[in-house]
Amino acid sequence: MPDREPLGVIGAGWVGLVTAACFAELRHEVYCRDIVATKVEALKRGEVPIYEPGLAEMLERNQERLHFTTDMGDALSAAQLLFCCVDTPPTYSGDADLSRVEAVVEELGGSNDHALVMKSTVPVGTGRSIRRRQADLGYVSNPEFLKEGTAVSDFMHPDRVVVGTAEASSEFGDRVAALYQPLDAPIVRTDVASAEMIKLASNAFLATKISFINEIANVSEELGADVTEVARGMGLDERIGSQFLRAGIGYGGSCFPKDVSALKQLAGNSGYHFQLLTAVIEVNELQKRRTIGKLQKHLGSLVGKEIALLGVAFKPDTDDVREATSLVLAARLVSEGAHVRVYDPVATDRARELLKGVRICESALEALDGAHGAVLVTEWPEFRELDWKGEAKARMARPLLVDGRNFLDADLLRSAGFTYEGVGR
Ligand code: UGA
């Protein structure tokens, strides 16, 4: 086994670029292949097509070890381990669309010199089905657990690394595990189906935690408890843990909505009705509606009302708007007859196409100007820095704030004369 073996990365999207950059940082030569020529050309010029903290610097620092190409042959001739990082978006039925993964498998053919290392999130059973068709090609399941906004640090400091192989002793599996040795994390060696399930079950469990705390928040609103206090008290129990107990207007992003529904669908396809996940999804949908209800509680009909949405990205530190709560809220508000204006420090360019009939603003103050109500959708730090007591309040037609992330200082806003609605407090 070569000391620092060269690696192939197929797909220069968010997972692929982070994977390529981090392996290059670990001193591997990395051959990163994408089918989109313009993207590859931009990457060769040093332009980074996504916003992820620390990524651009890492790519630049390691540019000598990073080789971007459109030609699969370049990756195949340089490397034996090929990390599959193409996306698996949801289909209309809620299943994962595997067409891009299938195209990669087609291209690799039955080579027995190479192993496909699956980082893309795939349904349980995908590895077995690929191996059935391409028995000679090595196969390792190595799911990613990266969070957008902290992906580089998550890669370099993982809680665990999962390596799934068909046989317990697998040379390709050993080689993949060895790549992560410098990161000093527990390495879970397991079978392929279990590795695939670890990924889906982890995301589904985290989403369940969020829907659970959101329901506790809703009940707390009725019963006079404060969900942030409840979460603090619960989270200190080590069996529960304090993370992913932030109540809000629901989870979004390219992973949770897709993976929860993919696991539910997968269970359904195998004849099992996954009741809990059905509820997790429904609670998440209802949470967005409750936000509209809070505006209506104070404004009555929303027809003709000016409503500001602060934040478009599905969470801070990313410009990703896939499955973002803001898009659903904006569409519902428009259908209620409201006039919607939005502001986000980085994500509005990506959202422009999706925000039909919505005014996109250049600053939070512009969005608040003349608004009858505002919803804080994404917890960008700059929203905390706003002069709420002074200029922000003065600009609004009515000082009504629905804080969808329990992010702002409720006492300060109330004492400044705002009608403040948090989530669960
Ligand atoms: C998620 C997982 O956290 C990663 O481990 C996983 O690798 C990734 O999906 C993936 O499958 O690729 P990500 O979607 O980047 O990562 O974002 P999270 O930070 O997990 O947040 C997801 C959503 O949950 C956001 O909308 C966030 O606002 C919401 N959330 C999160 C809450 O509403 N409450 C919380 O307490 C935490």
Side-chain angles (χ1 to χ4, degrees), residues 386-394 411-413 415-418:
L386 273 178
D387 177 14
W388 286 104
K389 278 182 163 173
E391 190 161 8
K393 184 175 172 225
D411 292 338
L412 180 131
L413 282 153
S415 70
F418 269 87

Side-chain angles (χ1 to χ4, degrees), residues 263-283:
L263 181 52
K264 182 190 149 202
Q265 200 65 26
L266 199 58
N269 295 347
S270 75
Y272 182 76
H273 176 52
F274 206 141
Q275 301 199 47
L276 186 57
L277 290 188
T278 306
V280 167
I281 294 166
E282 193 181 321
V283 169

Side-chain angles (χ1 to χ4, degrees), residues 9-11 13 15-16 19 82-89 96-98 100-102 104 116-124 126-127 130 139-145 195-197 199-200 203 255 258-259:
V9 170
I10 315 301
V15 173
T19 301
L82 301 162
F83 285 81
C84 182
C85 300
V86 296
D87 57 341
T88 53
D97 174 359
L98 291 180
R100 295 169 179 82
V101 170
E102 294 297 347
V104 172
L116 185 62
V117 187
M118 189 59 70
K119 276 227 172 278
S120 305
T121 302
V122 293
V124 182
T126 303
I130 291 174
Y139 190 89
V140 180
S141 169
N142 177 221
E144 56 88 11
F145 300 99
E196 291 165 341
M197 184 60 105
K199 166 68 189 184
L200 288 178
N203 272 2
C255 303
K258 161 176 87 88
D259 293 348

Side-chain angles (χ1 to χ4, degrees), residues 9 12-24 50 52 55 58-59 146 150-156:
V9 170
W14 174 75
V15 173
L17 279 180
V18 172
T19 301
C22 290
F23 277 134
I50 52 167
E52 182 63 36
L55 179 62
M58 195 179 257
L59 288 169
L146 310 174
T150 55
V152 170
S153 140
D154 289 344
F155 190 102
M156 300 307 273

